[in-house]
Amino acid sequence: MYYLEFKKLVFGKGYDIDLHYGAQCWDGYAKYAQYLGQPVCHCTVTGYTGDIYTQRKVNGILGHNSEVYYLNPGDIVTFKANADWTPYTHIAIFDSDAGNGFGWFLGQNQGGTPYAGGGACFNLAKLPYSITDTYAFNPNALRDTSTNINKNLNEYGCDDILTVGSHVSSIPIKIGDQGLKSIGGDVCCYLAPLGGWYPISQVSEYDASDGRKDNYLANTNAKVFLDERIVQKLDIPGNRALLDNGIWVNSTPLIEVKNGN
C-alpha cells in the first residue's frame, strides 16, 4: 500500500461514511482507515475528532498505528481546537512539508469543493504544525509492506540507527521541573529523557507550550529539541552517545538527520 495511491484515489472526491453531515474530516479519516484495512475509530466523548487522539489508549488505534513525533507522508494527524484554524478539532493525513512551520495535509472539510449534504471533498490544506497534537499515527500497513520505499525511515530519509558521524537532533522534550540553572557558565535546562542538564543555547523551542513560540524559554512548560549535533562515540551497552559538544546523552530520544560517513 502507498499513501500516494490513496491520494490519487480520493483527491477531489467526497465520502460520507457515516451518512451524517456530508463529507466531514472524520469521514476522510474513515475512508483512509478502510483503505489501510484497519478498524475505524469513533468520536465517543465530545463528538469531535479530537476524541480519536485523547482516547488513543483505549479506542484501538494504537493496535494498527505507531505514535510518532516527526511526520511521514501518510501519517494520520489530529489537530487541537484552535479558533483561527480548526475550531472543532480536525483530522487529516500528512502529505508534505510546506516550510515556515506549516505542512500540507490531505483531508475533507478543509476548504475543498463543497459536497452535497455538507462538508467538502478531499483537498490539500496548508496548516501549522503548532496546532497538531503531540503525536501522529504512522500506519503499520505502510511500514510493513516490502514495496514501501520509505519503510522505517524518518522524515529526513534516515533510519535512526546511529553510527559515529551521524548528524542528530531529538524528539521534542519537555523541560523538567528542575527548570534552568547555570553550570560551568552555561544556562542549562533539565531534559530527563536525555539524562540530565543540557545548554539552552543548543536547543530550539518546539511549539508554544510555554505561551509563545519565540525561542525564549520562560518556564518549564516549554518543549525543545536539540540543535543538530554529530555523534563522536557510542556506548552501545549503555545506549548512550557522545555528541560533538562533549556531552553524553541517552540515545533513545535522538533522531538522525543525516547519515554518518
Side-chain angles (χ1 to χ4, degrees):
M1 290 182 178
Y2 292 97
Y3 159 66
L4 293 179
E5 179 183 80
F6 176 79
K7 178 182 175 181
K8 182 177 179 180
L9 174 70
V10 302
F11 197 84
K13 301 176 183 177
Y15 301 87
D16 183 5
I17 303 299
D18 62 1
L19 303 180
H20 288 84
Y21 309 111
Q24 299 295 313
C25 65
W26 177 89
D27 298 281
Y29 148 73
K31 180 67 176 177
Y32 188 47
Q34 291 174 346
Y35 168 80
L36 295 170
Q38 58 180 256
V40 175
C41 296
H42 294 270
C43 310
T44 56
V45 177
T46 67
Y48 295 109
T49 52
D51 293 347
I52 293 174
Y53 182 80
T54 61
Q55 301 301 304
R56 65 191 184 281
K57 301 296 185 182
V58 296
N59 63 14
I61 196 168
L62 297 181
H64 302 272
N65 304 273
S66 296
E67 291 179 316
V68 293
Y69 287 97
Y70 289 100
L71 299 177
N72 301 280
D75 286 352
I76 299 166
V77 182
T78 54
F79 295 78
K80 304 169 187 174
N82 179 278
D84 296 325
W85 298 95
T86 53
Y88 302 106
T89 71
H90 187 56
I91 190 167
I93 305 158
F94 179 67
D95 181 85
S96 57
D97 182 60
N100 297 316
F102 284 77
W104 290 106
F105 295 87
L106 177 71
Q108 292 196 152
N109 201 26
Q110 53 181 26
T113 303
Y115 180 84
C121 299
F122 270 102
N123 76 328
L124 287 174
K126 186 178 178 180
L127 297 170
Y129 296 126
S130 60
I131 62 171
T132 64
D133 286 307
T134 303
Y135 301 100
F137 303 105
N138 180 238
N140 296 347
L142 298 187
R143 291 196 313 278
D144 291 344
T145 174
S146 60
T147 59
N148 181 6
I149 61 173
N150 291 320
K151 182 179 180 182
N152 296 325
L153 301 183
N154 63 22
E155 66 169 323
Y156 305 103
C158 302
D159 57 16
D160 292 332
I161 299 174
L162 305 183
T163 61
V164 172
S166 290
H167 291 237
V168 296
S169 178
S170 74
I171 61 175
I173 302 172
K174 183 180 181 296
I175 294 177
D177 293 338
Q178 295 88 343
L180 309 177
K181 75 173 181 179
S182 180
I183 300 176
D186 290 323
V187 177
C188 298
C189 55
Y190 192 82
L191 303 177
L194 281 180
W197 297 94
Y198 200 89
I200 65 168
S201 62
Q202 299 177 33
V203 301
S204 295
E205 192 173 14
Y206 172 67
D207 58 17
S209 298
D210 67 346
R212 180 177 297 176
K213 188 175 181 181
D214 53 8
N215 225 25
Y216 175 73
L217 306 181
N219 57 55
T220 57
N221 285 326
K223 290 180 184 175
V224 299
F225 60 91
L226 302 194
D227 294 340
E228 184 177 325
R229 308 304 314 184
I230 302 173
V231 174
Q232 297 293 298
K233 293 182 181 180
L234 291 170
D235 170 15
I236 295 176
N239 198 25
R240 298 189 306 156
L242 176 66
L243 305 181
D244 61 346
N245 56 7
I247 300 175
W248 281 97
V249 298
N250 295 332
S251 297
T252 303
L254 299 181
I255 298 290
E256 190 177 23
V257 297
K258 190 184 297 181
N259 293 318
N261 296 323

